[in-house]
Amino acid sequence: MEASSTRDSRSKGRGHEAHVCIEDLEHRFASGLKAVDDVSLSVRQGELVVIVGPSGCGKTTILNLVAGLLPVQTGKVLIKGEPPLAGRRDTAYMFAQDALLPWRTVIENVVFGIEIRGGKSSIDASTKERARTILANVGLRGFEKAYPRQLSHGMRQRVALARTFMMDSPLLLMDEPFGALDAHTKLTLEQELLRLWEQSRRTVIFITHDLAEAIFLADRILVCSARPGHIVSEIDVPFRRPRDLNALQQCEEYHQLYQRIWVDLSKEMVKQA
Amino acid sequence: MNDTLSLSQAKHMPKVATKKVFELIWLYAGRVGIGVGFCAVWWALVYFEIVPAFFVSTPGAVAIYLWENAGGEITTHGIDTLIAMMIAFSLSGIAGILGGLLLVEMPVFRRLVDPYLTGLNSMPRIALAPIFILWFGIGMGSKVALAFSLGFFIVLNSTIAGVRNIDPVLMRLSHTLGCSGIQRFWKITLPWAVPGVFAGLKLALIYSFLGVVTSEMIASRSGLGYLVMYYSGVFRMDAILGILFVMALAAIAITMVADAIEAKLVGNWTEPVMRADVN
């Protein structure tokens, strides 16, 4: 409960079951700006880790390094013991923007990742059936043949969520995927994400600046400092799953946890300003 | 369409449909009215001798010229113009799209030739007409060349613009999915450019027409442009106005066909949704 930042979970995570392992990572942009400073973390198989931090603290850079979109300069990033590589089949990336292809229908967008990775021949009847199931899971039954322009912002992000889960990648990287949504839509999508995740436990690294979102989703929260980003504290979220946001709101521990992380985070926000 | 949209439409269907029909009738009646009104004013100006008929002819004379020649010289010369236009348009389309894609895929090459393209494109085309006539002779060749010199650059530029304004997040997606270069080109770049290319093609269609007619007016032995020059030499205002009228009709028809093709091909993903029709 009273999880301190030096809990033994970190060392436990460094064991053989670590899915993503980052050691002494540093990253500097071409402009000389130091974005990431001495970050070490490890994520267990099937764990949902949320990184919170002030905007511009280098959270996205960490994710891009794990995804292989940026070359690792100093330090080590290992995914199942291997260095990252852009386009790895075992990694799926979801952005704040929906990144849907406007000329494809909803269902064609959902299978797009599979089509790229497995070729057109991999889209058979059973793949389509699975896409329909996932769409129904995110509340989009009956919208398979709609085009993205016909959908609201929240619905488009649901399609992106479905596309991400469709790919069966054991590692999901999510870069503020619900950051651009209104508060209500955001809550629904968070619940849908948890439902999909509980059906097939993938390893998730989720980035946000929204504390409530972090506590609702995470097994473990890492608080990132102001730039250059490093991890200032690590908090285990003890609440049992499946979680219910209303029940959490009633619970004293939730507010204590929120308060604690908020103190850590606001110190960093002051530095940023 | 999706279920909810069609459901909401079904509920309001009868009311919306009749309202739409009335609006359409009004629209077309209004359009015809403007034309009729214009002709009435025109006729009155001549009838009350405010303007001499020699300079502006009369609606009646124009109608008679069109009636007598619609199946004759207007059709034969019109077909000549149309053929030259379609050849020029096809060449501009193919060369413009291929050239545009090539320049986008080879940025070094684009930087090399960019000033030359800008220079060529900014030349007044009428000044080129005498050169084309020297090179290709009086006839189909010089007409097509002038029209191509207009259409090619339009398609080229719209293709380049269409590809270059591609949403960066789609490029990011393609990297995270591990797209090959060929996949990126066929599945993202090319479809993304289609609406932009289409806009360029539509413009090139009209400019091919203008280019051909211009060339015909400068030197040729056939085509609608040639007819206009011929009749202006013999002061046949009724014929000139009649041919101009036919040209305008042709341009409208061409645009309508192009719009219909565009709506069919890309309309379902580019047209904005009408959320207002649920009232």
Side-chain angles (χ1 to χ4, degrees), chain A residues 221-243:
Chain A
I221 296 175
L222 303 171
V223 180
C224 192
S225 72
R227 197 171 48 222
H230 61 271
I231 308 295
V232 287
S233 61
E234 181 178 352
I235 297 107
D236 277 322
V237 181
F239 307 115
R240 227 182 311 136
R241 298 183 189 273
R243 288 178 189 165

Side-chain angles (χ1 to χ4, degrees), chain A residues 47-94:
Chain A
E47 189 182 21
L48 203 165
V49 167
V50 175
I51 303 178
V52 285
S55 56
C57 78
K59 309 178 291 255
T60 301
T61 309
I62 298 176
L63 217 55
N64 283 340
L65 285 162
V66 174
L69 296 178
L70 293 171
V72 176
Q73 298 168 342
T74 325
K76 206 158 66 172
V77 177
L78 291 175
I79 300 158
K80 291 230 167 116
E82 285 170 41
L85 179 73
R88 278 173 71 118
R89 270 157 198 259
D90 57 3
T91 311
Y93 202 129
M94 184 173 171

Side-chain angles (χ1 to χ4, degrees), chain A residues 45-205:
Chain A
Q45 190 87 48
E47 189 182 21
L48 203 165
V49 167
V50 175
I51 303 178
V52 285
S55 56
C57 78
K59 309 178 291 255
T60 301
T61 309
I62 298 176
L63 217 55
N64 283 340
L65 285 162
V66 174
L69 296 178
L70 293 171
V72 176
Q73 298 168 342
T74 325
K76 206 158 66 172
V77 177
L78 291 175
I79 300 158
K80 291 230 167 116
E82 285 170 41
L85 179 73
R88 278 173 71 118
R89 270 157 198 259
D90 57 3
T91 311
Y93 202 129
M94 184 173 171
F95 318 106
Q97 303 100 309
D98 52 64
L100 298 182
L101 305 176
W103 53 89
R104 283 177 169 243
T105 60
V106 163
I107 195 152
E108 287 167 349
N109 265 294
V110 171
V111 299
F112 183 64
I114 300 204
E115 189 180 316
I116 289 297
R117 290 178 172 183
K120 201 143 200 171
S121 55
S122 59
I123 312 293
D124 51 14
S126 72
T127 315
K128 287 237 166 104
E129 196 44 54
R130 207 157 63 81
R132 266 183 221 111
T133 313
I134 292 187
L135 276 172
N137 257 317
V138 294
L140 285 177
R141 192 196 298 281
F143 286 92
E144 291 85 356
K145 296 225 164 72
Y147 284 87
R149 68 173 175 96
Q150 297 170 304
L151 306 180
S152 69
H153 200 134
M155 288 158 98
R156 287 206 297 271
Q157 202 61 351
R158 283 191 176 117
V159 179
L161 187 63
R163 176 179 62 198
T164 310
F165 269 87
M166 187 71 196
M167 282 187 281
D168 266 341
S169 305
L171 175 60
L172 306 185
L173 306 174
M174 312 189 97
D175 185 8
E176 303 200 32
F178 311 139
L181 301 175
D182 64 86
H184 177 76
T185 315
K186 193 173 187 171
L187 283 178
T188 350
L189 270 126
E190 285 164 13
Q191 277 156 348
E192 269 151 18
L193 166 65
L194 281 188
R195 207 165 56 225
L196 285 170
W197 178 73
E198 269 152 22
Q199 281 169 16
S200 60
R201 295 255 172 158
R202 328 268 182 98
T203 310
V204 180
I205 304 179

Side-chain angles (χ1 to χ4, degrees), chain A residues 60 64 69 86-87 93 95 97 99-103 112-113 115-117 143 146-147 149-150 163 167 175, chain B residues 1-5 169-170 172-173 175-179 183 187-188 191-192 267-269 271-273 275:
Chain A
T60 301
N64 283 340
L69 296 178
Y93 202 129
F95 318 106
Q97 303 100 309
L100 298 182
L101 305 176
W103 53 89
F112 183 64
E115 189 180 316
I116 289 297
R117 290 178 172 183
F143 286 92
Y147 284 87
R149 68 173 175 96
Q150 297 170 304
R163 176 179 62 198
M167 282 187 281
D175 185 8
Chain B
M1 288 290 159
N2 62 57
D3 287 349
T4 47
L5 279 181
V169 78
L170 293 186
R172 218 169 145 214
L173 176 78
H175 286 124
T176 62
L177 291 179
C179 281
Q183 279 177 324
K187 291 187 189 285
I188 297 180
W192 179 272
N268 55 6
W269 61 274
E271 266 168 40
V273 190
R275 289 182 201 278

Side-chain angles (χ1 to χ4, degrees), chain B residues 16 18 22 46-47 56 60 64-65 80 102 115 202 224 229 232 237 250 252 258:
Chain B
V16 171
T18 42
F22 271 114
V46 176
Y47 184 80
V56 297
I64 288 167
Y65 167 78
D80 269 3
L102 188 79
K202 267 162 62 179
L224 293 177
M229 285 315 277
S232 72
M237 211 54 209
I252 293 172

